[in-house]
Amino acid sequence: METSTKTPGRLEHFPISFFAMVMGLSGLTIGWEKAQAVLALDLGITPWLIGVTSTLFIVLMLLYMAKLAMYRQAVIQELRHPVKLNFFPTISISLLLLSIAFLPVMSDVSRALWMAGTALHLVFTLYVVNVWIHHEHFQVHHMNPAWFIPAVGNVLVPVAGVPLGYQDISWFFFSTGMLFWLILMTIIFYRVLFHHPIEERLMPTLFILIAPPAVGFIAYSRLIGELDAFARVLYFIGLFLTLLLFTQANRFLKLGFFLSWWAYSFPLAAIGIASLLMFERTGQDIYRYLGLGLLTLLTGIVTLLLARTAIAVRRNGICVSGH
Amino acid sequence: MSDVTSTVKSKSIYPFVFLVLSFSAGLLLAYSRGPQTLPAEPPPTQPLVTEPLVTETRVNPDVGASESAIATPVGMDARAETDALDTRLSDAEAKIQHLERELVAVAEQQTAVALVVEAQQDRLAEMLADTDTGVAAASDSAAADAISSASPLQDDLVRLGARPTERGYLVTLTESELRFPVGGSALSSKRPESLGAIAEVLARHEQLSARVEGHTDRSGSAAKNLALSRERAQSVKDALAAMGIDAERIEIFGIGEAQPIDESGTAEARQRNRRVEVYLIEN
């Protein structure tokens, strides 16, 4: 897969959205770490999951760096693209997710990843919001749930930040994330209600709507250390959005494969982990069933996504112009 | 045309079945690990004393039956009903155990304080008696010596929150208090105040030695936990030594996950179990 992608023409069109794969696989890793803790089981899969996710991140990073070195103009075009721009923070989010995955096994590595991810994410957030404010080319149909990606990253910071001892920095990023979540949620509903439907290949990004409340619940629980009213509100908003999207499963199943399908993975991991956390906090068995069900569903989906991505790469279906 | 439609339909059913099976696998996994093992803990925001303990724990057959009839669909068989009641009962029992443990801890603390106060009162009474019997002039300096040599230690121990046990005066330091990183043993550059307070007491009372024990929860492998607990005890010893305490006065032990103080298995319980215990022993 990697060797074929390195051919000059394809490298030029190597999309930044590939990093959504790392988000999905990290979500799967963290989900199974949590599930094993809840079930008091050691399945021996954690090192494998962490290894595969880290390797994928390194390979994608190297490929994207090569693209930056050889086709700087192509990278700049992506940075100026109204939709693709929002996928750049998937790099810093991948770092933050890897730091969460490494937290129970190698805290030093986790700290280094967290620092790099947090700093980079601040840079990306500032850049993206600056572009939002000083743009000349955004139309309302450019608005899609991928715009949430920079916001989600901010909310992720406390998940590893609090156990690593960075309380105030975590609060800073959490607050920023919540601010943009509310703003973007309003705009996205306005766009969906009153303008053209979201184009087919970006439909799966609707799943990103689940991530801010679900991750927000996990992050807020770390910050506060207890299950208060706001924590419950966040969790149940996430659960409602999950149900809302599940009722549209038929529409999603009819879509053709695009790299954006990976958008299904991370938000599902987030709501699965949030459910397992709810079980830990309330002791109610329903959340354990829900969390594990969502986690195995995610495992099935990730397996499918890996297979479909491999097929698409083999058929030159991804690294092409316009993707 | 109809063939094409049916092929498309049958094709689109596979992913749906696959997703349903994936979700069911998780439900099966949850079911196979048995019923819920964690007790239903009250949310930490609610103070424990406000819990309606009696109504929660007493299983009144009439009330139980009517409640479960409301909570479950009509037609649920007697076995399922019994299971539901059993779960309620085990939840309530776990809650009682949790509260009892808290009560014992509070009682122990009260006894410790009472013992120290009693000892000081006795000492004061003895000294007053000495003064009254007229040997005041001669014994005044002796009484002053007694106050300065014995009372300050007890004062310090009370201030430290140390609890008398058979093995010495116990100070328990939580993982978050010591700011250990998750799975790590390095103390942050900011030393916790409690560690500084222990160092002060050790410095002031040369007759004391310390036994430092590291404890972990049951997450992860036992061997790793054992090593981690010892490393954390060593970090505490190093920190005390860095504060000027002779390292030879400090013994360290890694206990790992072997001696939990709360076995209920909740996140809070695991947090309580991850701790370092410092026993101050009078030689």
Side-chain angles (χ1 to χ4, degrees):
Chain A
M1 165 177 153
E2 288 78 32
T3 34
S4 62
T5 321
K6 276 176 188 161
T7 56
R10 294 178 70 186
L11 187 60
E12 187 180 354
H13 299 298
F14 180 82
I16 184 73
S17 42
F18 249 125
F19 284 94
M21 280 180 80
V22 184
M23 286 178 64
L25 285 173
S26 310
L28 187 72
T29 308
I30 299 161
W32 277 108
E33 278 177 0
K34 187 86 189 163
Q36 290 177 89
V38 164
L39 294 170
L41 260 182
D42 188 3
L43 301 171
I45 51 174
T46 309
W48 288 98
L49 286 169
I50 292 180
V52 169
T53 313
S54 311
T55 311
L56 179 73
F57 177 74
I58 292 166
V59 169
L60 293 179
M61 206 60 215
L62 289 175
L63 284 170
Y64 207 79
M65 296 296 267
K67 176 177 171 178
L68 180 67
M70 292 164 70
Y71 303 100
R72 184 177 290 267
Q73 205 52 40
V75 174
I76 292 171
Q77 270 177 11
E78 276 193 312
L79 266 174
R80 289 185 180 155
H81 191 283
V83 177
K84 289 177 186 171
L85 159 76
N86 297 297
F87 282 90
F88 275 88
T90 53
I91 299 177
S92 47
I93 291 174
S94 298
L95 285 168
L96 287 168
L97 287 168
L98 284 171
S99 90
I100 300 168
F102 271 102
L103 193 59
V105 284
M106 295 166 85
S107 55
D108 289 343
V109 177
S110 169
R111 187 181 298 271
L113 287 166
W114 183 85
M115 285 178 169
T118 304
L120 192 61
H121 197 78
L122 181 63
V123 173
F124 278 137
T125 309
L126 290 172
Y127 174 77
V128 170
V129 177
N130 264 302
V131 173
W132 287 351
I133 295 171
H134 303 290
H135 74 96
E136 288 169 352
H137 55 288
F138 288 155
Q139 306 288 326
V140 75
H141 67 268
H142 287 145
M143 181 68 199
N144 69 62
W147 286 49
F148 275 81
I149 295 171
V152 178
N154 285 309
V155 180
L156 262 175
V157 169
V159 180
V162 173
L164 287 170
Y166 303 99
Q167 194 81 11
D168 279 7
I169 298 176
S170 298
W171 270 111
F172 170 79
F173 280 89
F174 179 78
S175 313
T176 313
M178 285 288 117
L179 169 72
F180 285 108
W181 174 47
L182 293 176
I183 294 172
L184 293 170
M185 192 74 177
T186 315
I187 302 176
I188 197 92
F189 267 87
Y190 164 73
R191 183 248 198 265
V192 171
L193 284 171
F194 298 113
H195 292 272
H196 313 286
I198 289 173
E199 46 185 313
E200 191 189 82
R201 88 189 153 96
L202 286 173
M203 281 279 277
T205 60
L206 278 173
F207 266 74
I208 298 175
L209 296 183
I210 302 170
V215 178
F217 164 70
I218 300 165
Y220 183 73
S221 300
R222 286 273 163 107
L223 285 164
I224 294 290
E226 61 186 41
L227 186 68
D228 66 3
F230 185 57
R232 283 176 196 270
V233 167
L234 285 172
Y235 174 74
F236 289 116
I237 292 175
L239 198 60
F240 168 75
L241 290 168
T242 311
L243 278 176
L244 180 71
L245 292 168
F246 275 16
T247 54
Q248 300 172 38
N250 211 23
R251 284 170 189 274
F252 288 112
L253 288 172
K254 284 178 186 161
L255 299 175
F257 178 77
F258 295 101
L259 204 50
S260 60
W261 271 32
W262 277 95
Y264 291 128
S265 56
F266 175 69
L268 275 180
I271 191 71
I273 297 164
S275 301
L276 292 174
L277 185 60
M278 270 300 268
F279 166 67
E280 282 193 328
R281 291 287 155 99
T282 63
Q284 291 184 39
D285 226 15
I286 177 87
Y287 297 115
R288 191 171 64 109
Y289 277 91
L290 191 59
L292 288 171
L294 287 167
L295 190 61
T296 47
L297 174 67
L298 169 73
T299 311
I301 289 177
V302 167
T303 313
L304 261 181
L305 290 174
L306 282 172
R308 295 299 300 263
T309 309
I311 292 168
V313 167
R314 188 178 288 265
R315 291 182 183 163
N316 294 356
I318 289 179
C319 297
V320 292
S321 176
H323 212 296
Chain B
M1 179 68 192
S2 63
D3 282 352
V4 174
T5 322
S6 69
T7 320
V8 171
K9 267 188 184 168
S10 66
K11 261 191 177 177
S12 69
I13 196 99
Y14 291 133
F16 185 72
V17 171
F18 176 75
L19 295 179
V20 170
L21 284 177
S22 299
F23 187 78
S24 312
L27 301 185
L28 200 66
L29 178 65
Y31 182 75
S32 69
R33 293 295 295 171
Q36 171 230 340
T37 50
L38 300 185
E41 290 231 329
T45 41
Q46 293 171 6
L48 282 167
V49 284
T50 62
E51 279 284 297
L53 187 63
V54 179
T55 48
E56 279 282 318
T57 52
R58 191 183 57 205
V59 180
N60 179 335
D62 297 336
V63 173
S66 63
E67 273 181 9
S68 61
I70 296 163
T72 53
V74 181
M76 181 183 178
D77 60 25
R79 191 188 149 81
E81 208 165 302
T82 319
D83 284 352
L85 281 173
D86 281 351
T87 317
R88 278 171 57 85
L89 188 63
S90 61
D91 284 357
E93 278 170 357
K95 206 174 280 182
I96 293 171
Q97 277 176 4
H98 177 74
L99 288 170
E100 276 174 350
R101 270 196 299 273
E102 294 217 344
L103 206 62
V104 169
V106 171
E108 276 179 7
Q109 227 160 2
Q110 276 180 338
T111 319
V113 173
L115 277 174
V116 172
V117 171
E118 208 176 313
Q120 280 184 324
Q121 277 175 342
D122 287 353
R123 189 164 290 278
L124 199 64
E126 274 174 29
M127 286 189 300
L128 281 173
D130 284 353
T131 320
D132 285 349
T133 49
V135 282
S139 63
D140 256 1
S141 62
D145 283 352
I147 291 167
S148 61
S149 65
S151 299
L153 172 61
Q154 280 161 351
D155 276 351
D156 283 350
L157 290 169
V158 171
R159 213 171 298 130
L160 200 57
R163 195 155 54 85
T165 68
E166 285 175 4
R167 293 152 66 194
Y169 287 90
L170 167 64
V171 185
T172 304
L173 304 165
T174 59
E175 181 189 46
S176 53
E177 199 179 347
L178 289 170
R179 298 195 189 90
F180 281 127
V182 176
S185 60
L187 282 168
S188 71
S189 55
K190 272 195 207 164
R191 293 267 152 68
E193 278 174 27
S194 44
L195 214 52
I198 293 174
E200 266 178 42
V201 172
L202 281 167
R204 213 173 300 152
H205 307 284
E206 295 265 316
Q207 76 276 28
L208 289 179
S209 64
R211 173 190 168 96
V212 181
E213 288 184 0
H215 296 265
T216 66
D217 62 15
R218 287 195 174 146
S219 313
S221 80
K224 269 189 192 165
N225 284 337
L226 191 65
L228 177 66
S229 66
R230 194 180 160 80
E231 283 165 17
R232 286 185 167 181
Q234 180 68 48
S235 291
V236 169
K237 177 180 177 174
D238 293 346
L240 289 172
M243 292 177 199
I245 306 302
D246 183 0
E248 284 186 8
R249 291 171 64 196
I250 309 164
E251 270 187 306
I252 57 156
F253 295 89
I255 309 293
E257 58 188 45
Q259 293 174 11
I261 46 175
D262 189 340
E263 294 195 76
S264 60
T266 59
E268 287 78 18
R270 288 204 298 272
Q271 199 172 8
R272 273 197 287 279
N273 290 336
R274 297 191 294 265
R275 68 200 190 276
V276 171
E277 293 183 345
V278 180
Y279 290 92
L280 298 172
I281 302 158
E282 211 169 349
N283 296 315

